[in-house]
Amino acid sequence: MPETPITDWLEVRPQGLFVRPGGFFIDPVTAVDRAVVTHGHADHARPGHAHVLATPETLAIMRHRFAGDPAGAQALAYGQRLRVGDATVWLAPAGHVLGSAQVVVEHAGGRAVVSGDYKRRADPTCVPFEPVTAELFVTEATFALPVFRHPPVAGEIARLLRSLSLFAERAHVIGVYALGKCQRLIAELRRAGYDRPIFLHGALEGLCRLYEAHGVVLGPLQPVTAVERRALAGQIVLAPPSALADRWSRRLPDPLTAAASGWMRVRQRARQRGVELPLVISDHADWDELLATLDAVAAPEVWVTHGREEALIFAAQARGIRARALSLVGREEAEDGG
Amino acid sequence: MRAFADLIERLVYTPQRNAKLRLIADYLAHTPNPDRGYALAALTGDLRFTHAKPAMVRELVAQRVTPELFALSYDYVGDLAETVSLIWPEKELDGGGPPGLAEVVETLTQAPRGAVPGLIEAWLDRLDANQRFALLKLITGGLRVGVSARLAKTAVARLGDRDPAEIEEVWHGLEPPYRGLFAWIDGQAGPPAVAETQRFRPMMLAHPLDDPAADGLDPGAFRAEWKWDGIRVQLAAGADGGDGGHLYSRTGDDISGAFPDVMAAAAFDAVLDGELLVVRDGVVAPFNDLQQRLNRKRVMPAMLTRHPAWLRLYDMLFDGAEDLRGLPFDARRQRLEDWHARVRPSRMDLSPQLDFADWDTLAALRAGARADQVEGLMLKRRDSAYVAGRPKGLWFKWKRGPLLIDAVLLYAQRGHGKRSSYYSDFTFGAWRDAAADAPALVPVGKAYFGFTDEELRQLDRWVRANTVDRFGPVRAVRPDLVLEVAFDSVHRSTRHKSGVAMRFPRIHRIRWDKPAAEADRLATLEAMIVESAKGPAATEP
């Protein structure tokens, strides 16, 4: 049992979660003096902090996105322990994207785990999630409704390849988030034996190169601009979701619009976005996995952040867990990342 | 069930007609009997399960899922079948494997009411999420995948390299799972034999025409009649059929059930072509009145009294067993008139032929027909045989000129498929005097065609540059751009805020030059409403 309750030293401030004995924020939404960052997505990694602690991969991603920033960066590999003020900090893999981590903070005999975003499925592009038992667990709730149960990825990839053979004259343009989903989809296609070049929107090229530099094999990639329009018929083209409905997609021959996201589970959502081929591939835990994680972490207290908190709190309380919603600024539903 | 579920899934998301056709044809080609036959019946709306109801599905899920979690989920997803399909707890499969489509259909058809919930529950346990969705949509009626019966039959025709008209002709004599049909399509047997009254003879259609004189048509070679504003139908009545005959829509849908009044009058042996209308005391009612009678499985007696159906006859295809379709139009018309004088059927009259010596006379008649119940004129070559489809040079529809208003663009929505990157669906409004000092724009209609590709590019650019708000795929724009909108007619509507509904609105011109303040007022539109009874009177022969 901790000597002091964790709620006495882990605070919710307007900028984000603040670890008082260590004097640092976790994933603060505005620039602060000291920040620990779970992963490189824009709603977690912000520019302008004076000091940043994160995995080497996350720091590389931040440097890529923020042109050199952060200046005062300190890399901490998974499992490596670091004394910060009166607290001990270490990072455990979160399985969300390359370099994603749960922040484990120990102080006064107690342990809190702030998981950031996480998933439990195998992902060829990042280290799998590692459950860490704790007294307090902070969890995401992006897909925290029992209707969200992600199907096996292999089946979704098979649907994509089947469509590619049935509509061989149409460019299959898939909306993917630039960090994580893009590279995971490519890696899954390679795993399924797809060895043709995959065409990229310009906004995706940099992070693919970064992944490759970290040893993730993505196979032949080409910018869309490198080939003639006709040559894209029957090819796979990846683009940020915002580009699908934009004028950019007009350069493609008779595009068939696909999207890879956990949101694609719900038909109305997919149709609203004009998606013809929804692929349910998510980088977040689904309902069953969220509950299994609560069991594995075995924390008597859980704070639930960004997403459908209500259902997860209900289910956690039914398991005898003290659960409450944690309203953090700047964590609105970011659907592109699903 | 898996292949069927995959098909349903793809159809839900595929907007293009041709892509849908390929998906269906591909499914039918790769799926064995009798599964493919039941899938076809599901698409054409020919499967009915009377014992399976949405309320029963709700009860089943209530036994498996905590009510609070179900409520939160249903609230989020919005569709019952989809919520249940996604939320159904998945057990380890018991080795039974998913049931086939035919197993589901045949078991459910024969099962007594009390056994149905148990059957569905057991199936839900053996299926994955997509298959559960397909099962629930299948049994509770209405797949709603944007596939008409016509489209499904066209896919069958494509599979066997046949004309869709050939499928239509035999369709109503067939029963699921259509083994005879597929044997024929596969080239293993001749066409299936069906009763005469169950045959739908594909209709002869007309080409649009702007000006017969300019097209060099010889007025002496043509007959003219009004183009009535109802729905074109074929009545196949036969003494031998024993089932009272059938009424078919232009696309071959059997609509007999919605028109028992017309069917009761069909006590003869003939196949007739005509316009279905609502007629009161010899006067044709507006199309809206007929619309009340369409798409109903059952008709209330009050509806039959208030909206009496009528058939205005254009043509005769069969007189008894005699096929008249090869005869010239004039000869068929004579046969129709003789037959009508002899049989004197109730609820039916002849569409009158118009006297004219030259196109100017006819143009004057057409210009005078500003009434709601006439869409314009039909011109038919006197020597034309009755040919299925839209043969060239024989029949023409010469629609009256459209009505026009200047409206202000309010919202734009992205299109589908090739147009998915363009704002191509336009909602426009007219001015309403809310208060004397604060006139407001009220939406009056929506149009998504009428413009050229170049104009679409210009409109798209304008929408992007003038967006003031976004709601999902819809953008609200600065009310600055005036569109000249053409439409066929306008009606009162209680469903629209403006109180009016336009028929066939399309973008006629983009008035880049016109200030929005000078666009038309709602009152202008209201003045164009034709209430009733001003059309050319019905003629009793």
Side-chain angles (χ1 to χ4, degrees):
Chain A
M1 278 300 284
E3 297 148 30
T4 24
I6 291 173
T7 44
D8 281 6
W9 54 265
L10 188 62
E11 298 174 3
V12 182
R13 294 192 178 180
Q15 301 97 318
L17 279 175
F18 183 67
V19 179
R20 198 142 42 82
F24 61 85
F25 286 91
I26 299 172
D27 290 352
V29 292
T30 52
V32 298
D33 182 35
R34 307 175 80 81
V36 178
V37 173
T38 58
H39 66 284
H41 279 144
D43 54 340
H44 294 259
R46 299 288 171 113
H49 308 312
H51 303 276
V52 173
L53 183 70
T55 62
E57 296 85 356
T58 297
L59 289 174
I61 291 163
M62 289 177 75
R63 276 188 212 102
H64 171 79
R65 300 195 105 148
F66 307 137
D69 192 79
Q74 182 174 356
L76 189 64
Y78 292 129
Q80 196 182 327
R81 302 171 76 85
L82 183 73
R83 192 77 186 157
V84 182
D86 232 1
T88 300
V89 181
W90 54 283
L91 302 174
H96 179 56
V97 297
L98 179 71
S100 67
Q102 312 171 67
V103 179
V104 186
V105 187
E106 295 165 354
H107 171 70
R111 181 193 282 166
V113 173
V114 181
S115 59
D117 292 335
Y118 63 94
K119 73 169 172 286
R120 306 297 305 268
R121 302 289 168 98
D123 177 345
T125 68
C126 65
V127 184
F129 180 93
E130 229 170 65
V132 179
T133 55
E135 278 76 41
L136 172 68
F137 184 58
V138 182
T139 181
E140 60 142 317
T142 310
F143 293 113
L145 276 179
V147 288
F148 289 112
R149 219 184 278 131
H150 309 322
V153 174
E156 299 302 287
I157 297 290
R159 290 201 305 126
L160 169 59
L161 295 178
R162 207 154 57 233
S163 175
L164 210 54
S165 66
L166 187 58
F167 296 101
E169 76 292 354
R170 303 182 67 185
H172 282 52
V173 54
I174 309 172
V176 290
Y177 200 61
L179 168 59
K181 190 64 59 64
C182 168
Q183 297 78 20
R184 180 177 177 211
L185 189 66
I186 295 170
E188 292 287 358
L189 277 163
R190 299 309 183 203
R191 183 186 270 191
Y194 186 83
D195 54 7
R196 280 147 60 185
I198 292 173
F199 294 86
L200 300 180
H201 182 280
L204 306 178
E205 291 172 27
L207 283 164
C208 285
R209 277 197 296 273
L210 188 148
Y211 264 61
E212 285 176 319
H214 283 82
V216 178
V217 179
L218 298 179
L221 304 177
Q222 282 193 34
V224 167
T225 47
V227 291
E228 269 186 74
R229 177 191 159 96
R230 262 178 305 138
L232 294 169
Q235 303 296 336
I236 293 177
V237 178
L238 303 186
S242 58
L244 295 189
D246 200 6
R247 281 165 275 195
W248 175 84
S249 66
R250 289 180 201 166
R251 74 179 66 205
L252 306 173
D254 193 9
L256 188 151
T257 307
S261 159
W263 300 111
M264 293 297 121
R265 185 79 277 189
V266 177
R267 286 172 178 79
Q268 200 46 43
R269 288 245 172 177
R271 291 177 68 173
Q272 228 169 36
R273 295 215 243 154
V275 170
E276 286 177 61
L277 180 65
L279 303 171
V280 189
I281 301 177
S282 174
D283 282 333
H284 296 269
D286 68 11
W287 175 253
D288 293 340
E289 291 161 353
L290 287 167
L291 296 184
T293 305
L294 294 190
D295 291 343
V297 172
E301 177 152 6
V302 168
W303 294 353
V304 183
T305 172
H306 61 296
R308 268 129 292 277
E309 295 94 346
E310 215 181 328
L312 190 58
I313 288 169
F314 178 87
Q317 286 170 347
R319 283 167 142 72
I321 298 170
R322 282 196 308 283
R324 71 172 176 101
L326 188 61
S327 310
L328 292 174
V329 184
R331 293 281 195 280
E332 292 82 21
E333 196 168 285
E335 296 217 351
D336 291 350
Chain B
M1 201 73 197
R2 180 181 307 281
F4 177 66
D6 282 349
L7 174 68
I8 296 306
E9 182 77 2
R10 286 308 300 268
L11 289 174
V12 163
Y13 294 111
T14 303
Q16 308 91 340
R17 183 178 177 277
N18 271 326
K20 283 184 206 271
L21 272 178
R22 273 168 66 178
L23 288 166
I24 301 168
D26 183 65
Y27 169 85
L28 295 175
H30 293 105
T31 309
N33 289 328
D35 274 22
R36 60 175 171 172
Y38 288 121
L40 179 61
L43 291 172
T44 56
D46 289 304
L47 285 183
R48 297 257 186 289
F49 304 103
T50 45
H51 298 330
K53 294 276 184 292
M56 194 197 73
V57 175
R58 284 192 87 134
E59 280 171 32
L60 285 177
V61 78
Q63 293 162 19
R64 299 287 186 108
V65 182
T66 321
E68 288 84 350
L69 292 177
F70 182 79
L72 286 168
S73 299
Y74 187 27
D75 189 46
Y76 179 82
V77 176
D79 176 273
L80 180 69
E82 180 163 14
T83 310
V84 173
S85 71
L86 293 175
I87 208 170
W88 193 261
E90 293 189 346
K91 290 182 181 171
E92 288 300 311
L93 294 183
D94 54 5
L101 181 58
E103 181 188 337
V104 168
V105 173
E106 287 168 4
T107 311
L108 211 51
T109 310
Q110 290 155 16
R113 179 187 294 268
V116 170
L119 281 171
I120 292 171
E121 184 173 19
W123 285 326
L124 288 171
D125 278 336
R126 287 161 64 191
L127 298 170
D128 70 17
N130 273 355
Q131 298 171 35
R132 288 192 294 264
F133 179 74
L135 173 74
L136 293 171
K137 283 289 180 192
L138 178 77
I139 62 173
T140 56
L143 291 174
R144 289 196 199 88
V145 290
V147 174
S148 63
R150 167 90 179 165
L151 191 74
K153 290 174 225 166
T154 305
V156 176
R158 180 172 288 203
L159 187 66
D161 226 1
R162 301 243 157 226
D163 192 315
E166 293 180 81
I167 312 290
E168 292 289 4
E169 178 154 354
V170 296
W171 181 259
H172 292 285
L174 306 176
E175 295 281 338
Y178 313 116
R179 286 178 196 273
L181 173 69
F182 283 112
W184 174 44
I185 287 297
D186 290 344
Q188 291 159 0
V194 306
E196 285 305 309
T197 57
Q198 291 181 322
R199 285 185 187 272
F200 166 70
R201 275 83 182 181
M203 288 194 189
M204 179 159 178
L205 305 173
H207 286 273
L209 180 76
D210 281 334
D211 180 0
D215 287 2
L217 300 184
D218 169 16
F222 283 88
R223 296 293 183 191
E225 48 193 85
W226 296 116
K227 185 178 185 333
W228 298 96
D229 190 12
I231 65 165
R232 181 89 181 279
V233 290
Q234 181 177 106
L235 176 63
D240 68 325
D243 64 350
H246 294 267
L247 190 64
Y248 299 113
S249 74
R250 204 172 64 111
T251 50
D253 292 328
D254 188 342
I255 56 170
S256 319
F259 296 93
D261 39 0
V262 172
M263 298 317 295
F268 45 75
D269 190 357
V271 179
L272 305 167
D273 182 329
E275 196 84 10
L276 188 63
L277 303 162
V278 165
V279 173
R280 296 188 193 93
D281 302 325
V283 178
V284 180
F287 184 78
N288 265 18
D289 286 35
L290 178 62
Q291 211 150 27
Q292 312 286 319
R293 292 278 312 259
L294 297 172
N295 302 320
R296 284 174 187 273
K297 286 205 189 83
R298 280 187 305 157
V299 203
M300 299 300 153
M303 185 61 87
L304 292 173
T305 317
R306 269 184 292 136
H307 296 75
W310 188 271
L311 196 54
R312 185 147 291 173
L313 301 171
Y314 293 134
D315 213 326
M316 187 168 207
L317 281 60
F318 280 74
D319 186 354
E322 189 189 352
D323 188 347
L324 308 183
R325 289 178 292 178
L327 298 179
F329 177 75
D330 274 354
R332 293 199 310 278
R333 173 76 191 193
Q334 192 58 53
R335 293 288 297 263
L336 177 65
E337 288 179 7
D338 294 349
W339 172 87
H340 189 262
R342 190 174 73 241
V343 176
R344 304 199 68 81
S346 57
R347 291 187 182 276
M348 290 171 213
D349 64 6
L350 301 179
S351 182
Q353 296 198 317
L354 304 173
D355 275 336
F356 71 105
D358 49 55
W359 296 128
D360 285 349
T361 314
L362 208 52
L365 275 174
R366 170 177 170 268
R370 177 43 81 197
D372 202 30
Q373 293 80 345
V374 163
E375 284 187 284
L377 294 172
M378 289 297 300
L379 304 179
K380 298 177 177 174
R381 273 198 72 97
R382 299 170 58 168
D383 58 2
S384 58
Y386 194 98
V387 185
R390 212 182 291 273
K392 281 203 169 65
L394 299 181
W395 287 10
F396 298 95
K397 50 186 172 192
W398 190 18
K399 286 198 175 187
R400 67 185 184 198
L403 299 166
L404 297 172
I405 58 155
D406 286 333
V408 181
L409 179 60
L410 296 176
Y411 304 100
Q413 183 170 357
R414 282 201 303 271
H416 286 290
K418 280 186 176 145
R419 283 177 167 188
S420 60
S421 72
Y422 290 96
Y423 286 88
S424 59
D425 297 10
F426 304 103
T427 301
F428 46 82
W431 293 105
R432 172 158 67 188
D433 299 302
D437 55 334
L441 280 165
V442 56
V444 294
K446 191 172 175 183
Y448 43 89
F449 65 103
F451 35 77
T452 63
D453 286 354
E454 178 50 35
E455 284 172 328
L456 175 58
R457 272 190 283 278
Q458 293 168 356
L459 284 167
D460 179 73
R461 211 174 304 141
W462 192 90
V463 166
R464 290 172 190 275
N466 290 278
T467 300
V468 292
D469 207 350
R470 296 169 191 228
F471 319 92
V474 178
R475 291 190 183 204
V477 297
R478 221 181 305 285
D480 278 348
L481 183 61
V482 176
L483 302 172
E484 186 178 280
V485 178
F487 53 100
D488 284 6
S489 59
V490 58
H491 307 264
R492 292 205 181 284
S493 164
T494 48
R495 272 195 289 174
H496 299 83
K497 199 169 142 197
S498 61
V500 297
M502 296 164 139
R503 282 194 80 196
F504 302 127
R506 60 261 183 196
I507 309 292
H508 197 242
R509 265 197 305 169
I510 309 168
R511 295 295 304 267
W512 301 105
D513 56 311
K514 190 161 187 168
E518 291 175 23
D520 279 313
R521 323 197 75 76
L522 184 58
T524 311
L525 208 49
E526 286 166 342
M528 294 176 179
I529 295 175
V530 180
E531 296 291 354
S532 192
K534 282 187 234 154
T539 46
E540 289 294 338

